[in-house]
Amino acid sequence: MEGKLSSVAKNFTPSSIQELSQLAQKCNAINLAEGFPDFPAPPCIKEAAVSAINNDFNQYRRVQGICDQLALKMKKTHGLNVNPLTDIAICCGQSEAFAAAIFSIINQGDEVLLFDPCYETYEGCITLAGGIPVYVALEPPQWTLDPEKLMRSFTSRTKAIVLNSPHNPTGKVFSRDELEIIAEGCRQWDCVAITDEVYEYITYDNQKHETIAKLPGMQERTIITSSLSKTFSVTGWRIGWAIAPASAIQNIHIRITDSAPAPFQEAALTALRSPIEYFETLRGEYELKRDFCMKLLGSIGFRIQFKPQGSLFLFAELPKDCLLSDVEYVEELIKQAGVVVVPGRGFFHGNESCNYQKRYIRVAFCKSGATLNAAAQKFGELINAKACPKILY
């Protein structure tokens, strides 16, 4: 079969995040690598899913009520008028929604701008569609957007720009000024903005998420993708959506997967009707977890010059005197401490001569208090034993 693989398949390699998660299982290591919660989802939505199964909602299905709820949310939160009958596709998670969005607009040779560092899945979808990823580096340590660099990246071949805010892996929330700059580029070059807004409810320190679609002239050129996964701790349910004016995404979705899981669509209705207190509690709990991990990593010498404004991740720079690369550090951490995190280089795609690209790790703090305390204990044991001089400073 090896000789029959397509050129695209030959260039795809296993996800470093998944590989590390598998290694963590083999080594019985504490998994701070993969961005899924290890604590229970809200009981009310689990009960709704069980009820749907018991009531035989088990066949192909499109639950129009989800679209109705999302349209109401878009109007209330962002002031956008969305037609729930034509403008929303329910997909198998944000990943499929993003893929369907790409397949609906990208032709062979079209360029797609992405901000670097970025989530690894985007590039694969663009490549599968025949598109060409073009990376625009955010400037460390604050991960700022250089307007001139962005504008130089647009060409006559640019078809779309991908905007993930709150941002994985850095935790950056793009400011209104930055959104205005991106929107100006889209309008000037007649490009589509494809957004990944899965962390829209997970922001900190009074930061607020804004969608670029609300800016002048942008709703008609924006595809919003998001999901239930992160907000409701159900990453395995695979319920997501794409929102765009009368788009072809629904047709693409039907040809890829046909239907998102029917019982979980029913449960999504319960989730989307959650009171505002749920989202406030979620934000507060994750903010405490973020602060716990910042303190923990700071105590062992990590340089945290950027405090995450949103998402579920901490993108931390290795200790100044550490001679290891990010990959070497992660390997030592697994062996010596029994804790696994993600090497940062997997999120970078630009100029490899930039040394900082091998100096970061990503830590997922969407874990239970027990898991985070266990990780802290592992680090504490190393410090007390004065072990592992390679990774403790």
Side-chain angles (χ1 to χ4, degrees):
M1 185 60 72
E2 186 72 25
K4 301 296 185 183
L5 293 178
S6 69
S7 58
V8 172
K10 288 177 181 177
N11 289 327
F12 278 6
T13 57
S15 163
S16 61
I17 298 174
Q18 292 176 343
E19 285 184 329
L20 287 166
S21 293
Q22 292 169 1
L23 180 60
Q25 290 180 338
K26 290 180 181 178
C27 300
N28 198 29
I30 297 171
N31 188 350
L32 302 184
E34 205 162 2
F36 65 83
D38 65 350
F39 47 83
C44 62
I45 67 171
K46 291 192 292 184
E47 291 165 4
V50 172
S51 175
I53 292 171
N54 289 335
N55 283 287
D56 294 320
F57 291 113
N58 298 311
Q59 311 309 322
Y60 300 133
R61 190 169 177 80
R62 170 185 164 89
V63 178
Q64 182 59 40
I66 294 176
C67 303
D68 297 337
Q69 286 295 316
L70 290 172
L72 289 172
K73 187 205 83 162
M74 296 305 293
K75 181 64 175 178
K76 182 178 180 180
T77 305
H78 302 297
L80 297 175
N81 292 313
V82 171
N83 186 330
L85 298 176
T86 61
D87 297 354
I88 302 175
I90 306 169
C91 301
C92 293
Q94 184 276 337
S95 296
E96 194 221 341
F98 181 86
I102 289 291
F103 296 155
S104 72
I105 65 168
I106 298 302
N107 292 315
Q108 189 77 27
D110 286 343
E111 293 180 353
V112 181
L113 303 185
L114 303 105
F115 294 110
D116 208 39
C118 71
Y119 182 48
E120 60 186 349
T121 297
Y122 304 147
E123 180 181 40
C125 291
I126 294 165
T127 303
L128 283 171
I132 302 170
V134 176
Y135 291 95
V136 181
L138 299 174
E139 299 295 333
Q142 298 301 313
W143 309 110
T144 51
L145 172 61
D146 182 335
E148 293 184 2
K149 183 184 295 183
L150 172 62
M151 291 305 178
R152 287 197 304 267
S153 300
F154 285 97
T155 73
S156 59
R157 296 181 301 276
T158 306
K159 188 70 166 290
I161 185 168
V162 175
L163 174 62
N164 171 214
S165 182
H167 184 250
N168 175 10
T170 67
K172 172 186 177 67
V173 173
F174 283 74
S175 69
R176 169 58 79 94
D177 287 345
E178 289 173 324
L179 295 181
E180 293 279 8
I181 293 165
I182 297 166
E184 176 57 31
C186 289
R187 291 188 295 260
Q188 182 177 330
W189 291 91
D190 192 24
C191 295
V192 175
I194 305 175
T195 71
D196 175 353
E197 304 185 17
V198 296
Y199 305 107
E200 59 190 307
Y201 291 108
I202 306 173
T203 58
Y204 312 118
D205 304 319
N206 298 315
Q207 287 278 347
K208 297 294 183 184
H209 166 71
E210 288 188 285
T211 182
I212 196 170
K214 69 187 291 184
L215 299 184
M218 286 305 295
Q219 184 175 1
E220 60 265 31
R221 61 174 71 254
T222 299
I223 302 173
I224 298 170
T225 68
S226 193
S227 78
L228 219 63
S229 297
K230 309 297 184 177
T231 307
F232 295 97
S233 305
V234 288
T235 59
W237 283 17
R238 312 316 297 145
I239 300 295
W241 47 85
I243 303 175
S247 72
I249 295 173
Q250 177 69 15
N251 292 333
I252 299 290
H253 155 68
I254 289 172
R255 284 159 177 79
I256 297 175
T257 60
D258 197 287
S259 170
F264 299 139
Q265 286 191 61
E266 294 292 337
L269 277 175
T270 299
L272 292 171
R273 292 168 178 156
S274 297
I276 191 171
E277 290 78 15
Y278 171 81
F279 302 100
E280 291 173 348
T281 298
L282 177 79
R283 187 179 294 113
E285 290 176 349
Y286 272 137
E287 191 167 315
L288 291 174
K289 294 177 188 293
R290 176 203 64 176
D291 294 346
F292 179 92
C293 285
M294 287 184 63
K295 183 177 180 180
L296 172 61
L297 293 179
S299 70
I300 57 175
F302 275 88
R303 292 186 291 174
I304 304 173
Q305 300 182 68
F306 181 76
K307 189 176 186 180
Q309 301 164 328
S311 85
L312 304 173
F313 306 109
L314 186 61
F315 207 46
E317 189 175 2
L318 294 177
K320 186 176 182 179
D321 297 327
C322 178
L323 301 179
L324 301 178
S325 70
D326 56 340
V327 172
E328 293 167 337
Y329 188 95
V330 169
E331 291 173 349
E332 287 295 325
L333 191 63
I334 294 171
K335 295 174 186 176
Q336 301 290 343
V339 177
V340 59
V341 296
V342 180
R345 72 177 65 183
F347 300 99
F348 291 104
H349 306 82
N351 186 356
E352 294 185 3
S353 64
C354 295
N355 291 331
Y356 69 79
Q357 295 187 5
K358 299 178 182 179
R359 298 293 299 170
Y360 283 86
I361 62 165
R362 192 195 73 172
V363 177
F365 54 80
C366 49
K367 308 299 178 181
S368 67
T371 298
L372 296 178
N373 283 323
Q377 183 176 349
K378 292 282 190 180
F379 282 117
E381 290 171 357
L382 285 175
I383 294 171
N384 292 335
K386 300 189 185 308
C388 200
K390 289 183 179 180
I391 63 174
L392 293 179
Y393 294 87

